[in-house]
Amino acid sequence: MNNEYYGKLIFELSRSGRRGAAIPDAGCPQVDLPTHLTRAHTVNLPCVDEPTVVRHYTNMSTNNFGVDTGFYPLGSCTMKYNPKINDEVCAHHAMTRLHPAAPDESVQGALEAYWTLQRCLAEIGGMAEFTLNPFAGAHGELTGLMVIRAYHDSRGDKGRTKVIVPDSAHGTNPASAAVAGLKVVEVKSLPDGTVDVQALGALLDDSVAAVMMTNPNTAGIFESNVAEISEMVHKAGALMYYDGANLNPMLGIARPGDMGFDVMHINLHKTFSTPHGGGGPGSGPVGVCAGLEKFLPNPRVVKKADGSFAVTTSPDSLGSISATLGNFAVQLRALSYIMSLGNEGLCQAGPLATLNANYIKESLRDLYKLPIDRVCKHEFVFDGLIDKSTGVTTLNIAKRLLDYGFHAPTIYFPLLFHESLMIEPTETESKETLDSFIDAMRSIAREAATAPECLKEAPLTTPVRRPDDTAAALNPRVTWNDLKTSAQ
Ligand SMILES: *Cc1c(COP(=O)(O)O)cnc(C)c1O
């Protein structure tokens, strides 16, 4: 909407002397402060009336795209609808007013909620124990790899310095391995997107600490050789790490622990519905199989023999990876999500997410190139349009989707294909929404054939059109004064 508030900073709407509040007379005489206590300069606060404040922030809140405003099929990110009951639970004053150092006996309810989530995740993942301390998926990966190092070290097995990561892996996998002080060795995928088991076997020896896998992988394909891979990896003395950011289609259907994984993380902000994007908030709990519990980070929440709950530390722990017990507001949302759906509801998420992804895939495959032609799980990848003669790229398609009112899919990831367009609809979308997305994608393919130049200019209707991402990252201007300077 283009009105006088549009695209302006609150400082630009400011008019000297304008106010949005009337401060009542204090009823006592005015006193001049001694000059050494007063400011040398006036405070540069915007002077605006109340309607201006309300319209400014309300307009601004709709300039960005969110899952509450429209369909958000951002592959790998699981942008499912976030039920509002979860926010109600975590915003309850009984939760928001807790202090992290409160004595255990005064916060038994909160500790019970925390412990219950640990147990729910252990059941869902097929793991013995969970820590909820890590703040993100990547932080969970680092924590999990530190557990694996602690395990090898505890056995005096110090030569295990490598981590094997498939070439389809999320970029955080090799990054976390490097931060954990381990060397990354890449294993290739086969043309069908799954890990090349033979190539993996050739890399296994006593210098390998772990193999990191995502299942289903980032092409949305279930790694059906996982049992065989687990056996090979364990025989070589290494451990199996599960990147659980893609757990959504597996919920209640299959468990990483049963597939032979020893350590895993879960992205509560993906599978368990906390609103995310723009860098937070998140939570990346880490689960371990029996025998590895003692290495988990401090502190932990345990249930004592008398049925009460306590925060404890363990001397064998790898140490602390967060100031306290992690991101409690995200943990509460996840628990609320799990308990409000229940066993029956949770078990429907994966099959519905899988159905939705396959429905879109099959509805567009005559126009978009499908490099892996198999039944997918919760997401799949197109390699751009089939007709490449128009010069219309995946970037053009993604930008044009914004004009149609959809968030773009993930683009140029995974790196397996040149024009990757990775679509994850999630289970929370209706058939009508999926159909209108399919219509938009079909219209874009038609435009590519008839008016490709228009696509190369897209988006035409968004508040910001084609930002220079590199310049914005290298030279961010984040304050009003920066903007004024740049305009001069
Ligand atoms: C999102 C994601 C991650 C990283 O999670 P963050 O919370 O963003 O750090 C890791 N692996 C996969 C497959 C992902 O989709």
Side-chain angles (χ1 to χ4, degrees):
M1 192 169 51
N2 276 309
N3 56 29
E4 71 270 32
Y5 306 96
Y6 185 78
K8 291 213 180 92
L9 298 173
I10 189 106
F11 291 97
E12 295 170 286
L13 299 170
S14 173
R15 295 292 172 272
S16 174
R18 193 76 53 86
R19 9 171 98 219
I23 298 172
D25 184 30
C28 57
Q30 191 172 334
V31 187
D32 285 333
L33 289 174
T35 48
H36 73 277
L37 292 179
T38 61
R39 290 175 197 275
H41 308 284
T42 53
V43 202
N44 187 18
L45 293 176
C47 301
V48 279
D49 51 87
E50 184 171 324
T52 301
V53 174
V54 170
R55 288 177 188 159
H56 172 69
Y57 286 107
T58 306
N59 281 310
M60 202 158 62
S61 76
T62 60
N63 273 359
N64 208 346
F65 197 99
V67 77
D68 283 355
T69 51
F71 183 47
Y72 206 133
L74 191 67
S76 209
C77 293
T78 312
M79 306 302 284
K80 60 172 76 178
Y81 170 73
N82 316 119
K84 301 306 163 222
I85 188 176
N86 304 344
D87 292 320
E88 230 168 274
V89 168
C90 87
H92 192 278
H93 66 88
M95 299 299 172
T96 55
R97 300 177 74 179
L98 297 174
H99 191 280
D104 291 354
E105 58 279 11
S106 71
V107 289
Q108 283 295 300
L111 295 181
E112 181 172 0
Y114 193 99
W115 181 85
T116 306
L117 181 60
Q118 287 179 174
R119 293 319 310 154
C120 289
L121 297 181
E123 177 61 31
I124 289 166
M127 293 282 150
E129 190 59 85
F130 258 87
T131 172
L132 310 184
N133 295 8
F135 287 115
H139 196 197
E141 291 167 22
L142 172 64
T143 306
L145 290 168
M146 287 166 73
V147 168
I148 291 173
R149 281 195 72 157
Y151 161 75
H152 290 308
D153 281 353
S154 75
R155 296 162 58 244
D157 195 352
K158 308 255 183 205
R160 295 189 180 267
T161 53
K162 293 185 202 156
V163 176
I164 299 178
V165 180
D167 58 359
S168 62
H170 195 269
T172 51
N173 290 191
S176 305
V179 174
L182 296 159
K183 198 168 158 265
V184 180
V185 181
E186 192 178 88
V187 60
K188 295 265 171 265
S189 299
L190 294 169
D192 71 357
T194 60
V195 171
D196 184 336
V197 182
Q198 270 196 329
L200 177 67
L203 295 172
L204 288 171
D205 60 26
D206 60 6
S207 69
V208 176
V211 174
M212 292 181 94
M213 279 179 73
T214 311
N215 199 15
N217 60 32
T218 60
I221 303 296
F222 187 80
E223 299 274 0
S224 46
N225 291 322
V226 65
E228 186 190 344
I229 293 174
S230 293
E231 205 185 313
M232 283 164 47
V233 170
H234 288 142
K235 212 176 263 172
L239 296 186
M240 289 282 285
Y241 183 93
Y242 182 83
D243 176 345
N246 284 356
L247 187 68
N248 203 42
M250 299 289 104
L251 269 187
I253 304 292
R255 307 192 309 169
D258 301 337
M259 298 176 204
F261 288 98
D262 306 289
V263 181
M264 69 177 289
H265 81 264
I266 293 178
N267 289 41
L268 294 186
H269 46 290
K270 293 181 180 170
T271 309
F272 295 100
S273 95
T274 279
H276 64 293
S283 176
V286 169
V288 294
C289 65
L292 298 180
E293 301 95 324
K294 63 180 180 180
F295 302 116
L296 286 172
N298 284 329
R300 289 172 54 197
V301 173
V302 296
K303 185 174 187 177
K304 296 198 290 191
D306 66 1
S308 68
F309 299 90
V311 181
T312 62
T313 57
S314 142
D316 296 314
S317 160
L318 57 82
S320 286
I321 50 93
S322 56
T324 51
L325 286 162
N327 204 340
F328 191 48
V330 179
Q331 296 156 2
L332 283 174
R333 284 189 181 92
L335 182 63
S336 159
Y337 178 75
I338 291 170
M339 296 189 73
S340 54
L341 281 185
N343 190 33
E344 196 189 325
L346 276 184
C347 292
Q348 285 181 20
L352 289 175
T354 300
L355 178 65
N356 285 356
N358 281 285
Y359 178 65
I360 296 180
K361 172 168 70 69
E362 292 304 313
S363 304
L364 292 172
R365 57 178 298 158
D366 57 323
L367 296 171
Y368 291 85
K369 185 171 166 201
L370 191 58
I372 300 174
D373 187 3
R374 286 175 57 178
V375 174
C376 63
K377 290 288 179 276
H378 61 308
E379 64 194 0
F380 65 94
V381 184
F382 281 134
D383 189 7
L385 284 158
I386 290 177
D387 179 4
K388 299 267 189 279
S389 68
T390 61
V392 168
T393 62
T394 277
L395 180 69
N396 302 144
I397 298 163
K399 293 287 187 192
R400 185 63 175 148
L401 272 172
L402 308 180
D403 285 330
Y404 282 88
F406 296 103
H407 195 282
T410 294
I411 58 173
Y412 300 108
F413 177 79
L415 306 176
L416 300 174
F417 317 107
H418 281 295
E419 292 289 328
S420 286
L421 189 71
M422 186 191 197
I423 299 176
E424 178 182 10
T426 83
E427 70 280 12
T428 57
E429 301 302 326
S430 67
K431 180 162 181 298
E432 290 72 25
T433 302
L434 302 181
D435 284 336
S436 61
F437 175 74
I438 290 164
D439 285 348
M441 289 288 282
R442 298 192 72 85
S443 298
I444 292 171
R446 264 197 306 279
E447 289 171 347
T450 54
E453 290 318 311
C454 142
L455 284 188
K456 291 171 193 168
E457 294 289 306
L460 305 170
T461 57
T462 51
V464 176
R465 290 191 47 208
R466 290 208 160 198
D468 181 339
D469 298 340
T470 315
L474 291 179
N475 191 16
R477 299 209 173 99
V478 292
T479 69
W480 182 46
N481 287 332
D482 281 349
L483 288 172
K484 274 202 307 189
T485 320
S486 74
Q488 278 163 7

